[in-house]
Amino acid sequence: MINCFVDAGVPAGVVNLVFGVPAEISEYLIPHPTIRKISFTGSTPVGKHLASLAGLHMKRATMELGGHAPVLVFDDADIEATIALTVQHKFRNAGQVCVSPTRFLVQDSVADRFIDGFASAAEQIKVGDGLDPNSQMGALANDRRIPALERMIEDAVDRGARLVTGGRRIGNKGYFYAPTVLADVPQDALIMNDEPFGPVAVINRVASVDAALTEANRLPFGLAAYAFTGSSETASRLREGVRSGMLTINHLGLALPEVPFGGLGDSGYGTEGGSEAVEAYLDTRFVTQKL
């Protein structure tokens, strides 16, 4: 990507790429007087550390951190269309996306239908080399992700969750993992509280809009949320009640360049999209003069 800037004729020194140990780089650059603005996309623990470094030097920071996106599905939604959309979105980049839908909160009366349909669609995904045009899902980023997912899935099953499909590594070459669906996962399971950042969907049942909102807002994260309903009244309650920086209802309307992209709480602050993103890079000054 940086080479594209060079090829396009951007003058030397305008865009810079530094390789090395991340901690050493950030601990040098953030305090440096030349640097006036920090933007970070990554995990919440690292983001908190970098934000504290920026704060020590009174430097502005945009923090786009982790999430644990809830998906609220109600019995008046178009269930088949919802499954088609969310399966595609869940397993995009093998679930390694900060806004990846993770905690599916499905109303009781349609939960079994949703679980069966979602699992069936997940099983049809072709996993393979990302350079193969026939592949629909590629590998995990590194070898650390596989034991991390295995630990979360094993913990959930040990606590009473049902492994509907997946839950296994594919082959012994590369970091490929089967699209996985867990159902009826207890609230105290690791995967209900820590972002899996992988191809694992958790599908739990909820009795009402109130129950869905309670679970959606339970965690300190608030990046993205998804909802599917045929009721304008329910949609209105969700717009007011879901605590997240972004909420998309009945479609996938996030991450467009012209709209804000950012979270609340442990998911960070500031935005990476829309005209609002530029504000963090500007200084507001007031000058008054009497002649």
Side-chain angles (χ1 to χ4, degrees):
M1 185 176 69
I2 299 301
N3 279 335
C4 290
F5 284 102
V6 174
D7 293 343
V10 173
V14 174
V15 180
N16 300 278
L17 176 63
V18 181
F19 290 100
V21 179
E24 293 179 0
I25 294 171
S26 59
E27 288 173 8
Y28 176 81
L29 287 180
I30 292 176
H32 198 283
T34 301
I35 304 298
R36 297 170 60 193
K37 170 70 172 63
I38 313 299
S39 180
F40 174 71
T41 300
S43 71
T44 296
V46 174
K48 288 182 175 180
H49 175 65
L50 297 184
S52 67
L53 286 178
L56 287 173
H57 302 276
M58 293 305 295
K59 295 187 178 181
R60 293 188 186 186
T62 298
M63 292 286 150
E64 199 275 281
L65 309 180
H68 205 310
V71 185
L72 292 69
V73 181
F74 299 99
D75 57 10
D76 51 14
D78 184 332
I79 299 303
E80 280 66 38
T82 300
I83 290 171
L85 274 176
T86 54
V87 164
Q88 173 193 15
H89 207 50
K90 169 69 249 186
F91 299 110
R92 178 170 65 102
N93 201 41
Q96 300 165 117
V97 182
C98 57
V99 294
S100 181
T102 299
R103 290 177 294 146
F104 289 77
L105 312 173
V106 185
Q107 200 159 12
D108 284 327
S109 59
V110 294
D112 288 334
R113 178 178 157 203
F114 187 91
I115 292 168
D116 292 344
F118 194 97
S120 177
E123 290 167 352
Q124 303 305 310
I125 294 173
K126 179 175 174 54
V127 180
D129 186 341
L131 297 177
D132 182 347
N134 294 316
S135 295
Q136 296 172 304
M137 191 184 93
L140 297 175
N142 53 62
D143 58 351
R144 300 189 305 274
R145 298 308 310 146
I146 290 177
L149 291 177
E150 289 174 338
R151 181 170 63 93
M152 284 186 162
I153 293 168
E154 181 180 359
D155 170 77
V157 172
D158 286 347
R159 294 176 188 271
R162 177 164 60 97
L163 178 59
V164 183
T165 191
R168 68 186 188 283
R169 180 176 184 171
I170 298 176
N172 57 10
K173 181 180 179 182
Y175 312 131
F176 297 97
Y177 204 85
T180 299
V181 177
L182 292 168
D184 306 318
V185 182
Q187 196 177 83
D188 61 352
L190 286 174
I191 203 166
M192 286 293 289
N193 297 279
D194 295 335
E195 183 181 20
F197 213 67
V200 184
V202 174
I203 306 178
N204 282 350
R205 306 163 195 270
V206 291
S208 64
V209 176
D210 287 337
L213 283 171
T214 297
E215 172 57 28
N217 295 334
R218 178 178 59 86
L219 298 179
F221 307 106
L223 186 57
Y226 305 82
F228 297 87
T229 177
S231 164
S232 58
E233 180 182 354
T234 299
S236 178
R237 287 195 61 192
L238 299 176
R239 288 196 299 269
E240 295 296 326
V242 175
R243 183 182 169 275
S244 66
M246 299 174 285
L247 170 64
T248 180
I249 302 175
N250 291 335
H251 74 137
L252 302 179
L254 306 181
L256 304 172
E258 65 270 24
V259 300
F261 186 97
L264 308 175
D266 278 8
S267 290
Y269 47 79
T271 176
E272 291 183 340
S275 59
E276 296 84 355
V278 180
E279 293 174 3
Y281 293 84
L282 303 177
D283 288 326
T284 300
R285 299 176 61 242
F286 171 70
V287 178
T288 180
Q289 177 178 351
K290 183 179 180 180
L291 299 177

